[in-house]
Amino acid sequence: PPRSTLFPYTTLFRSPEVKHRDKPYGEVAIYRRHSDKCDHRSEGRKYMRCSCPFWVDGHVHGKRVNKSLDTRDLQRAQAKVANLTAPTQLEDMSIAGAIANFTSFRETLKWAPGTGRCYKCMFRSVQKFCDAKRIHLVSELKRHHFEKYLKGRKLGSNSVGVEIALLHKFGDYCKENNWCAENVVRSIKAPKYVPNIVEPYTLVEIQKMLQAAGSLDDETYERPRAVAMILSFRHTAIRISDLARLSRKMLVKVGDQWRMRLRAKKNHGLVFLPIPNILKIALDNLPIPKGADENCQYYFWNGVGDPASARYSIEPTLAKVFNKAGVEGAISHRFRHTLGTELLEQGATLEEVADILAVSLATVRIYYVKWTAGRQKRISSLMDKVQSAADRSIGKEDSSPS
């Protein structure tokens, strides 16, 4: 029977632009979604003479739609469905213009410098790809274009996942501004994220780096800076971006103990940690950074230029130390994994490690929980206690009279 006989009070809308499977046109229908208290709930969608809210069900522009219309009035429901099924007129926007508008909009939201660098690097690659393919408008981009673009990038699984997430946001922005009919990148799923396995340093490796730092050729400038860097990483696990802008104002004395107090540049987490006297002495004996005035408050940076580039003032020295020490895969960030692992071995909770490293609890679970010998020993001890108790209980049941 025709649909009108099944749903006598259902308004049927047809759009010539929408095609779904073997149907010549897409269609949507209005119906009342009966509540639990409605007396006509058992009669289903065909009953329309109650006061339950209107919903719409069907396919619009090739997509399934089943949602509330937020009204109980039939005329308002019909008007909303008419607007929903009306063909949209896309605005012509060049890819370069869309990138410029998106970048300007995101910069007003004060995005993190690292996020901005990721977007700018991706947009350079996207623009280069589109120029090579002679794609000028956002509406001309299709799914197969993005598939070819990602294949040409030749990124690792984690990096391509990050790039897909950035493309999702850019596609959503273009769709909201009516530059494209749909975000075709949303249909491309990112691969499952696999955390990188980062081994903590051993005490022997840390000793090698300290010896290498203390044997650099430049005795008056580079050598004391290198020693202070390694000691700072060893005892505070500070990020390299935070160490580069470490100043004298960030060291405060609480009672008889010196503490380091700063806001992490990456996530603005509070770092407030005690530091040993050997580190405080090493920092006090540092020479004034090159190019800085006598009143410079920074230990490693001269205070000239963009603070985001401060890390470049210490990276060359660290590279010399790591090469001379001969430690395979040596980077400054491994000190964070080292301290986190040592804290866990000493019985610290995940929440305490997160507070010390100024990261979230989820980050500690993903990155810093390592199965070192010390932590495995603690887990084995706990499991032995549980298993011994279970064995004793089983033995009692076996020895009990039947």
Side-chain angles (χ1 to χ4, degrees), residues 150-162:
L150 292 172
K151 288 180 181 178
R153 289 283 281 161
K154 297 180 180 180
L155 301 173
S157 59
N158 291 343
S159 298
V160 75
V162 173

Side-chain angles (χ1 to χ4, degrees), residues 172-365:
D172 290 338
Y173 180 80
C174 293
K175 181 182 178 182
E176 291 169 0
N177 285 276
N178 201 29
W179 299 334
C180 59
E182 61 176 334
N183 183 5
V184 294
V185 194
R186 280 289 175 187
S187 60
I188 302 177
K189 303 300 181 183
K192 185 177 180 181
Y193 181 77
V194 179
N196 295 325
I197 299 177
V198 181
E199 294 293 333
Y201 289 122
T202 63
L203 294 178
V204 175
E205 291 174 334
I206 295 175
Q207 189 63 31
K208 286 182 179 180
M209 286 184 280
L210 284 172
Q211 292 176 356
S215 61
L216 294 181
D217 297 333
D218 191 348
E219 299 181 5
T220 60
Y221 185 77
E222 199 167 34
R223 184 181 297 181
R225 284 168 61 89
V227 172
M229 291 175 194
I230 299 300
L231 288 176
S232 299
F233 289 135
R234 173 69 183 102
H235 295 290
T236 65
I238 190 174
R239 294 184 180 91
I240 186 172
S241 57
D242 296 326
L243 179 64
R245 61 187 184 89
L246 182 66
S247 67
R248 289 169 174 79
K249 296 179 180 179
M250 297 178 183
L251 298 185
V252 295
K253 194 171 185 179
V254 180
D256 297 333
Q257 192 176 46
W258 284 94
R259 287 179 171 266
M260 181 183 294
R261 181 186 179 90
L262 58 89
R263 286 282 180 181
K265 180 179 177 57
K266 182 177 181 179
N267 59 3
H268 305 288
L270 178 62
V271 177
F272 189 53
L273 298 176
I275 61 175
N277 292 330
I278 186 175
L279 174 57
K280 181 62 171 62
I281 294 173
L283 292 173
D284 290 340
N285 292 331
L286 284 177
I288 299 175
K290 292 181 179 179
D293 55 28
E294 295 181 356
N295 298 323
C296 181
Q297 294 295 315
Y298 296 101
Y299 287 107
F300 301 100
W301 181 42
N302 59 12
V304 179
D306 186 2
S309 62
R311 59 180 295 172
Y312 301 123
S313 62
I314 65 177
E315 284 182 340
T317 302
L318 284 176
K320 291 181 181 179
V321 173
F322 294 150
N323 290 334
K324 193 167 186 177
V327 178
E328 184 178 357
I331 56 174
S332 61
H333 201 77
R334 281 182 63 184
F335 283 100
R336 295 179 63 79
H337 294 266
T338 304
L339 182 59
T341 302
E342 290 176 345
L343 290 170
L344 292 172
E345 289 181 353
Q346 295 298 323
T349 64
L350 298 181
E351 291 80 2
E352 291 170 341
V353 175
D355 291 339
I356 293 173
L357 298 178
V359 294
S360 65
L361 189 60
T363 301
V364 175
R365 289 195 181 101

Side-chain angles (χ1 to χ4, degrees), residues 68-117:
S68 172
L69 294 173
D70 297 324
T71 183
R72 300 173 188 268
D73 182 76
L74 179 59
Q75 292 183 349
R76 291 182 179 178
Q78 291 173 342
K80 288 189 175 184
V81 172
N83 293 331
L84 182 67
T85 58
T88 58
Q89 186 66 31
L90 298 179
E91 179 183 349
D92 290 339
M93 173 58 69
S94 65
I95 295 174
I99 291 174
N101 289 335
F102 179 83
T103 303
S104 176
F105 168 71
R106 295 295 298 183
E107 286 178 349
T108 59
L109 302 180
K110 304 297 182 183
W111 58 9
T115 305
R117 287 193 296 271

Side-chain angles (χ1 to χ4, degrees), residues 371-395:
W371 299 106
T372 59
R375 195 164 191 271
Q376 187 62 51
K377 185 177 180 180
R378 288 183 58 245
I379 293 176
S380 299
S381 177
L382 292 173
M383 291 299 296
D384 290 341
K385 292 179 181 179
V386 173
Q387 292 168 356
S388 298
D391 292 340
R392 289 194 297 270
S393 62
I394 294 174

